[in-house]
Amino acid sequence: MTAFYHVCFAVPEIEPAMRDLRRSAGVTWSDPVSDRLGEWDYRIAFTRGGPPFIELIEGVPGSPWDASEGPRFDHLGFWSTDVERGSRRLAGEGLPVDFSGCPYGRPFAYHRVDSIGARVELVDLARQPAFLSSWHPGGEPMPAIEETAGERP
């Protein structure tokens, strides 16, 4: 099995979540970054120190990261050699697409895993160098799910 590289929590406010995880677990954080996907503004931060990372994301109501009903475990993130092929594989296994960033020019997709009450995220491996540059400078490459035609990883 390919190891996940991050666990994500959707939170209504990023700073209190960062503070509380710093206090309780001693983690250190990158500075939060603001961005926009489609019509949704969001803020994101990752722990420092290498995988597996903790990601916090603060999204507006109605966004894929809406936490207006309270904070929640949102997803496990995995690198994938082919997000579209991986999404077809997961959907074929009964894990439907919950949201895809691909139509917005972002190569990732969330799939619902109802048995755990959360999602799995596939992120295109081509994005890993930019991720490492932004969130873990000098970090080693991380493994990816190898999506192959007609084969299960």
Side-chain angles (χ1 to χ4, degrees):
M1 179 180 131
T2 301
F4 66 93
Y5 76 98
H6 76 271
V7 58
C8 179
F9 297 90
V11 297
E13 294 181 64
I14 205 166
E15 284 84 1
M18 292 171 69
R19 179 197 65 226
D20 291 346
L21 283 170
R22 185 179 310 112
R23 286 178 179 169
S24 65
V27 298
T28 58
W29 293 96
S30 62
D31 290 331
V33 172
S34 297
D35 204 348
R36 184 173 183 86
L37 179 68
E39 61 191 66
W40 307 293
D41 292 318
Y42 65 94
R43 296 175 66 213
I44 188 172
F46 282 89
T47 51
R48 296 200 178 275
F53 298 92
I54 299 171
E55 175 187 21
L56 297 176
I57 190 161
E58 175 188 310
V60 297
S63 73
W65 315 282
D66 182 350
S68 57
E69 294 184 18
R72 68 177 192 283
F73 167 55
D74 191 73
H75 66 266
L76 291 172
F78 294 85
W79 295 109
S80 172
T81 58
D82 188 325
V83 170
E84 289 180 17
R85 185 175 282 160
S87 283
R88 287 191 304 271
R89 175 182 57 79
L90 291 175
E93 294 289 331
L95 306 172
V97 174
D98 189 60
F99 179 81
S100 177
C102 297
Y104 301 95
R106 306 275 182 92
F108 74 90
Y110 295 128
H111 287 260
R112 280 196 344 260
V113 183
D114 293 335
S115 63
I116 65 168
R119 304 185 283 191
V120 166
E121 178 187 30
L122 298 179
V123 181
D124 195 286
L125 184 59
R127 299 281 304 150
Q128 192 175 113
F131 177 90
L132 289 170
S133 176
S134 296
W135 302 107
H136 190 47
E140 294 292 321
M142 294 169 273
I145 296 170
E146 183 68 41
E147 300 292 351
T148 55
E151 296 179 22
R152 296 172 76 162

